[in-house]
Amino acid sequence: MDMLFYISGVVAVAATVMVITRSNAVHALLYLIVSLLAVAMVFYSLGSPFVAALEVIIYAGAIMVLFIFAIMMLDLRQTEPAQRTHLLRPRAWIGPVLLALVLLGELAWVYAASGLGRDASGISSPQQVGGSLFGPYALAAELMSLLLLAALVGAYHLARPDWPSQESGRPGGTP
């Protein structure tokens, strides 16, 4: 299990570095998904499969849908259609797919080595996770939700075109 932890940690760090260094938002988003999956594998290797499942469902699932929505909303149509097909080339997918295959191989190795019926003494239960989220970390969870809402509202205002106002006929609506 230590090797699983270290390999997942290396994949998480490598994918996170790729998120920061990519100039294309969609490529960065692909690496972010791989990074979140690697963090889920770290949680799993530490004996917390429920938290790992929450990581995949909430972050790699729901939050990524929000990010994709924001990227689609911020599309300012500055790129040509020929440049947009660059995203569909297989070369753009090589890095994220290789890192995801490493994580998939780790997961298959863990299930083959330990089986599904291992000792559940160190596994956190849903009651423990819920107690933590609604207990000492309730304020942090609420602040994260407000931060995501503020980011979505900010993305909307950044992407909104300046349409002429009905009253003045000038952009911005100033008389």
Side-chain angles (χ1 to χ4, degrees), residues 45-165:
S45 70
L46 292 174
S48 186
F50 183 71
V51 175
L54 287 178
E55 177 83 20
V56 170
I57 293 168
I58 294 172
Y59 288 106
I63 301 299
M64 287 301 112
V65 169
L66 178 68
F67 285 173
I68 290 170
F69 177 71
I71 287 172
M72 289 181 347
M73 198 167 53
L74 287 174
D75 186 20
L76 301 176
R77 305 277 183 208
Q78 294 175 349
T79 59
E80 296 296 320
Q83 291 176 341
R84 289 183 186 192
T85 60
H86 165 68
L87 300 175
L88 301 176
R89 292 186 185 143
R91 191 173 136 228
W93 291 81
I94 290 174
V97 167
L98 287 177
L99 292 175
L101 285 175
V102 168
L103 293 175
L104 186 64
E106 285 180 340
L107 191 61
W109 177 70
V110 166
Y111 278 128
S114 64
L116 296 176
R118 38 179 222 167
D119 182 29
S121 61
I123 295 177
S124 58
S125 68
Q127 290 83 11
Q128 291 171 332
V129 173
S132 293
L133 283 178
F134 292 112
Y137 300 113
L139 181 62
E142 289 300 320
L143 287 175
M144 276 194 314
S145 67
L146 287 174
L147 181 66
L148 286 171
L149 178 64
L152 186 62
V153 169
Y156 171 75
H157 285 288
L158 284 174
R160 183 184 62 179
D162 289 330
W163 297 107
S165 175

